[in-house]
């Protein structure tokens, strides 16, 4: 026999939600300053990105309200949710045979700019010298500046601003001069 | 009574709030980012909602997801914990708009106390002394010298939009003042997008003493004693204790009365902390700011008094009102809290996220552990570095220190460095044992407490 | 002050004693059998000595190995914990002979209290009421009826050499008495090699209430309040609490005074417990026996009073004397202890040794865990089945029950069955919530509390 | 860096022991009622079984007092210590091709008799019937009686009285009738 805490299913009262409830939630959220919504619980999933948020072109919604509400009344998914956490090979493969990577030394959060409103340190195509600060890695609120590993040009930046990165993950590619 | 509360937080404070809810028979809904799937708060709650990716801005700080999740699960209350959205006035208002009780003060109270100038004015109106200066109001560079002459050197130049010690500069004379003012403005502009600065008298030899209050939202306020949090590094509290071991009964009573007066004057609702600087030379105290939330170090007060502060928050928010009166607050013995962080004390407190290969928390008499960690848990790199808070109680301060030493020395953490060796070294210093230190002592003596290894970049 | 103490025990109590020693700056020496190499007490002690194979008779009960080990490591004290040799008068004497302080009473005190007839006589001399009967003295079968007539039916026939409820038989009338007396004698002979029996009045509706005492060995004795341990199964305590929720202030004072009077009359040294039956119908109390050791449930008293009983044991043994006076003992709130055992509550409490695949102990306000267990630890099959003691404190009994429920429900134990589900069910019974039960209630109602699965042999 | 508790070596004061100390320990123990001594700490090991204890024929001593005492002055080991805990194959191998084993259902302590002073349930060579109680297994102070698995004769009892046994370990062998 296994004792953990009491089984969750036995504790939380079942939530019965109608399509109107979901509409109500969306309305409230729409009035807020939030740019993006992410709610996943049991078999319900609602992911919304507002127009203009983080360069997303349109509102994308994926919602499957549970039983009473008929499945067909849920807004049709317009786009798959952005697979932010998954590392596809386009993010780790070198963009050229001679490209040199800057790898994150620790797991943390990657920032392209010194502060939220500021311009990025570098854009793709920018010329850099060895030791130039090119991005920031936030590890538990401690900000670490990462430096260009060579003289050259920024070839690609496979990581989004404010994205979580793991130790050893390439965050920038450079073509050495 | 609230029926179902969503806890808009993570880590040990989420676990803490879930426990308090369950004791009251309130259902709990945890929220978690994709990085926190295995966290203990997810496991202990009745229900758990994933609210986005690891980055806090897209999960724990995402008010839309939080309020949407609360509506979806039909929660009638949201507890913000500390940090994240706990002192976000707009979030408090948005909860009200969505018909959900925010477990904490009104947006208005939060705004009043967040604005330093307003808070100082309200303190003054309530008869609470404040640090002499420009009263939190922005000062023109041209006026600087006049204000400084009036309050006397040394003075502190502070960024109006700053906090937690960021954007502060010291000036010991008019020359330094004119030099540093420009720098301070430039730094404030760069850091906060706002170059406004203000002046305050610099109090060098001070203790940080804060008073815990509970308010019913209708002017009824009690205090639950004070905590001394003077052992700080980079304006972060390292060790907290109660009662403050270096003040007279008169000064203590003055602090308590001032905290109650200020909180009552704003009809404060819920748990709050009124922070003071105690000038050790002048034997005087000054209001610094009020924190409109439950604080990390609240257990110090709980083990001293037996009052469950989070329970009181929930009772107040649920309309039952607080369960005790001022006369019921009785202090006993001495309490100390150490924050055990995933940081390497010997390497400039470098963060050390990673997996707790082995983890055995201390226990036994007078030892309380508040933590979300367990053997096999991976401390993620995205949030703060806290592993656990250890709080000890003993009949007197010396026994409390010995108990804390024993608890820390018996704490098994294997896999990542922690601040335990640093805390053990700190507890053994003469300064701590004899309580002969001020808020700047640790910063100045950190190399003596624990020699830092040279960092290889 | 003692300098180096060998702890002649294992499990949670060894951990508990090691912590108390370290807080006092006393060096600790753990002992362990070959089966306990990975136990927490081995890890926490300054030094550890293997004293033989798994069987307790060849290790933890082996006085030669223990005293030899203490001499080898030059320990100046031996703490026996509870169980094993804690109430072995010869061992206490052997320690004295070897020049090592036994942390506990003298061999003489242990012998006096171990002999029921002597203990009853001493109680009577100290003015403490005892259960009417043959005063613990063996009774001839011929005399049985006369004694029973004198004290009134129903009566209990008890084995003089018995203990913990073994060898007891009830007789409701003279016929049953003559029938059962023979059986009792035969069973006593088989079980203890001694057929002596004695008679006691049977008190059906009673609570088991015990008073904690501390004695300085020179006649100075204080009490540290009482504990109610009436929730029993097969004479094993299942839940303990304090203060006793069903007695008047007068009765409570009477118990305290009786316990102090008896202990003082024997110049009792160290921590001890005087056990009483409280007759709920007659509102009277009777001395049962005195336990001359620290008890499993001592933390109930500790969280109620803030007194560290093991610390006091060590201070008394070391010659400093106890650190408090009667007037310093102040009770606050309510405390409950549950013994979490590696037993399957649904299968007749079948022992369930094995590996704790996952183990996350509860924490937070008012929750104390005393345990030697951790994730990955294997509970061996050779000793008692205790995994942990959870002790909760709260301002009142209802809050304490809610807190215990929350602590138990959040206790993660994976790999082996434990008594947690049973405790959760027990806490929710009307009888426990309202404290309407006596010492026999659980035995009679166990199927209602937790239905037993049928055992397949 | 690994933090456990403080390192043991840094805490316990070094114990300096002379040969005389060991003699003193032996003397004290000799006066006690103990039949067997087992002390192992650091590199010191002292195992003594008194004459007549548990059938051991003589005093056997293995002692290596640490430094000051010269190693040669320690009593010479007369016999290797009994490897009680180790399971050699003689304990698990069937004594005959047709032999049937009684295996311990749980880990615990094996007892041959119903109580400390009493006679064993069976001796080697005894005739048994299926279901006869042949031994007791003590699991955490709960006494479980184990039964003969067949009609037959007790062939061998590979486990000592009061010995620790593991789950599945054969504690008795029977030749079925």
């Amino acid at each position: 026999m296994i004792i953990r805490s009491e089984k969750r299913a036995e504790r939380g009262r079942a939530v019965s939600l109608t399509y109107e409830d979901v509409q109500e939630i969306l309305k409230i959220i729409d009035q807020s300053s939030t740019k993006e919504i992410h709610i996943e619980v049991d078999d319900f999933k609602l992911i919304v990105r507002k127009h203009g948020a983080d360069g997303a072109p349109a509102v994308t919604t994926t919602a499957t309200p549970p039983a009473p509400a008929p499945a067909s009344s849920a807004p049709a998914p317009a786009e798959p949710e952005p697979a932010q956490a998954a590392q596809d090979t386009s993010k780790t493969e070198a963009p050229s045979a001679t490209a040199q990577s800057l790898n994150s030394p620790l797991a943390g959060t990657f920032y392209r700019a010194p502060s939220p409103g500021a311009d990025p340190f570098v854009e793709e195509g920018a010329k850099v010298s060895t030791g130039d600060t090119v991005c920031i890695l936030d590890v538990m609120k401690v900000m670490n500046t990462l430096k260009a590993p060579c003289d050259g040009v920024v070839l690609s930046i496979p990581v989004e601003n404010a994205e979580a990165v793991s130790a050893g993950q390439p965050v920038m590619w450079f073509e050495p001069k | 009574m609230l029926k179902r509360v969503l806890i808009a937080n993570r880590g040990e404070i989420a676990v803490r709030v879930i426990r308090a809810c369950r004791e009251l028979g309130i259902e709990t809904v945890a929220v978690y980012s994709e990085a926190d799937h295995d966290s203990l708060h997810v496991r202990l709650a009745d229900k758990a909602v994933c609210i986005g990716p690891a980055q806090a801005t897209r999960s724990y700080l995402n008010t839309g997801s939080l309020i949407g999740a609360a509506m979806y699960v039909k929660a009638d209350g949201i507890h913000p914990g500390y940090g994240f959205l706990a002192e976000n006035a707009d979030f408090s208002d948005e909860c009200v708009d969505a018909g959900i009780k925010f477990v904490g003060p009104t947006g208005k109270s939060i705004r009043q106390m967040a604005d330093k100038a307003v808070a100082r004015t309200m303190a003054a109106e309530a008869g609470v002394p404040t640090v002499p200066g420009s009263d939190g109001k922005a000062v023109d560079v041209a006026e600087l010298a006049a204000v400084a002459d009036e309050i006397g050197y040394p003075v502190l130049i502070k960024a109006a939009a700053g906090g937690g010690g960021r954007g502060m500069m010291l000036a010991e004379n008019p020359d330094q003042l004119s030099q540093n003012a420009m720098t301070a403005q430039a730094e404030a502009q760069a850091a906060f997008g706002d170059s406004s600065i203000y002046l305050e008298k610099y109090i060098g030899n001070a203790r940080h003493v804060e008073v815990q209050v509970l308010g019913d939202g209708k002017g009824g306020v009690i205090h639950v004693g004070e905590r001394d949090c003077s052992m700080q590094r980079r304006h972060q509290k390292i060790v907290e204790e109660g009662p403050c071991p270096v003040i007279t009964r008169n000064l203590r009573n003055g602090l308590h009365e001032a905290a109650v007066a200020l909180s009552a004057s704003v009809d404060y609702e819920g748990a709050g902390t009124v922070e003071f600087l105690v000038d050790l030379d002048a034997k005087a105290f000054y209001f610094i700011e009020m924190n409109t939330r439950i604080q990390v170090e609240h257990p110090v007060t709980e083990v001293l008094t037996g009052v469950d502060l989070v329970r009181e928050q929930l009772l107040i928010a649920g309309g039952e009102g607080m369960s005790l009166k001022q006369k019921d607050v009785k202090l006993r013995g001495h309490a100390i809290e150490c924050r055990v962080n995933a940081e390497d004390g010997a390497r400039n407190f470098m963060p050390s996220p990673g997996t707790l290969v082995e983890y055995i928390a201390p226990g036994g008499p007078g030892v309380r552990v508040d933590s979300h960690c367990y053997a096999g848990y991976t401390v993620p790199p995205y949030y703060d570095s806290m592993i656990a808070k250890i709080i000890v109680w003993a009949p007197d301060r010396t026994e409390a220190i010995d108990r804390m030493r024993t608890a820390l020395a018996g704490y098994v953490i294997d896999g990542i460095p922690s601040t335990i060796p640093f805390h053990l070294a700190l507890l053994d210093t003469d300064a701590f044992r004899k309580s002969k230190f001020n808020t700047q002592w640790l910063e100045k003596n950190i190399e003596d407490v624990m020699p830092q290894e040279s960092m290889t970049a």
Side-chain angles (χ1 to χ4, degrees), chain A residues 17 22 41 43-46 61-67 69-71 74-75 77, chain B residues 72:
Chain A
L17 198 82
V22 176
V41 52
D43 52 359
F44 174 83
K45 191 166 186 170
L46 174 71
T61 311
T62 315
T64 319
Chain B
Y72 173 74

Side-chain angles (χ1 to χ4, degrees), chain B residues 236-247:
Chain B
Q236 296 295 308
K237 296 164 185 168
I238 300 286
V239 177
E240 298 103 343
E241 62 182 306
C244 172
V246 296
I247 54 175

Side-chain angles (χ1 to χ4, degrees), chain B residues 128-434:
Chain B
V128 176
T130 56
V131 183
S134 63
D135 287 332
K137 294 185 192 77
V139 190
D140 224 72
V141 180
E143 304 172 87
L144 279 175
V147 177
D149 280 346
E150 194 188 315
I151 61 178
Y153 287 91
V155 296
L156 270 185
I157 312 168
K158 289 185 166 186
R166 291 180 68 197
M168 280 185 0
M169 297 205 81
L170 183 68
E172 306 210 32
N173 52 51
D175 280 354
Q176 280 190 358
L177 184 68
S178 52
Q179 278 169 32
N180 291 351
M182 305 287 276
T183 318
Q185 281 187 316
E187 285 188 0
Q189 179 65 39
F192 313 110
D194 176 358
S195 69
S196 310
I197 54 171
Y198 66 99
L199 275 196
E200 241 176 48
K201 187 167 173 59
Y202 172 75
I203 297 158
N205 188 22
R207 300 276 281 215
H208 172 116
V209 184
E210 58 188 31
V211 179
Q212 178 70 52
V213 296
L214 287 171
D216 63 10
K218 299 158 202 155
V221 173
I222 65 171
H223 74 82
V224 201
E226 84 284 354
R227 298 181 290 260
D228 185 321
C229 315
S230 306
M231 196 57 91
Q232 301 187 354
R233 176 185 168 270
R234 301 193 179 171
H235 302 278
Q236 296 295 308
K237 296 164 185 168
I238 300 286
V239 177
E240 298 103 343
E241 62 182 306
C244 172
V246 296
I247 54 175
T248 62
R249 178 192 289 248
N250 272 348
L251 189 62
R252 170 172 291 119
N253 290 342
L255 287 168
H256 294 170
E257 284 162 19
V260 169
L262 172 59
S263 312
S265 75
V266 296
D267 291 345
Y268 190 79
E269 177 180 328
T273 300
V274 185
E275 297 193 328
F276 297 94
L277 266 190
V278 172
D279 187 328
L280 290 172
D281 301 325
K283 313 284 181 207
F285 66 84
Y286 306 106
F287 167 74
I288 317 173
E289 62 176 356
M290 179 164 188
N291 294 321
T292 55
R293 53 169 160 84
I294 194 78
Q295 277 187 287
V296 174
E297 61 269 28
H298 76 274
V300 167
T301 299
E302 294 185 325
V303 303
L304 279 177
T305 61
V307 175
D308 183 333
L309 294 169
V310 178
R311 181 187 184 93
E312 296 302 325
Q313 284 190 300
L314 292 163
L315 290 174
I316 293 166
E320 284 77 23
M322 58 183 115
S323 73
L324 72 166
K325 297 190 166 61
Q326 187 64 63
K327 68 172 174 55
D328 301 321
V329 177
K330 290 187 183 120
L331 273 73
R332 181 158 86 170
H334 198 87
I336 304 177
E337 174 180 280
C338 286
R339 303 185 187 192
V340 176
N341 291 338
E343 294 169 12
D344 190 341
R347 295 182 63 196
N348 202 29
F349 297 86
M350 191 169 77
S352 55
T355 299
L356 299 164
V357 176
E358 201 168 20
Y359 180 88
I360 313 177
V367 175
R368 167 175 169 186
V369 180
D370 277 35
S371 178
H372 59 299
C373 291
Y374 54 88
Y377 175 70
T378 297
V379 180
Y382 312 115
Y383 314 108
D384 71 67
S385 60
M386 192 182 287
I387 293 174
K389 303 185 307 204
I390 309 192
I391 307 97
V392 300
W393 177 92
D396 64 39
R397 189 171 186 271
T398 304
E399 283 183 44
I401 295 174
D402 291 338
R403 183 160 278 174
M404 181 63 91
R405 277 205 100 277
T406 301
L408 288 170
Y411 205 145
V412 180
I413 295 180
D414 196 346
I416 59 175
S418 82
T419 48
I420 288 175
F422 171 74
H423 275 113
L424 282 169
L426 183 58
L427 292 176
D428 276 351
T429 59
D430 211 47
F432 188 78
R433 287 253 164 202
K434 295 183 177 162

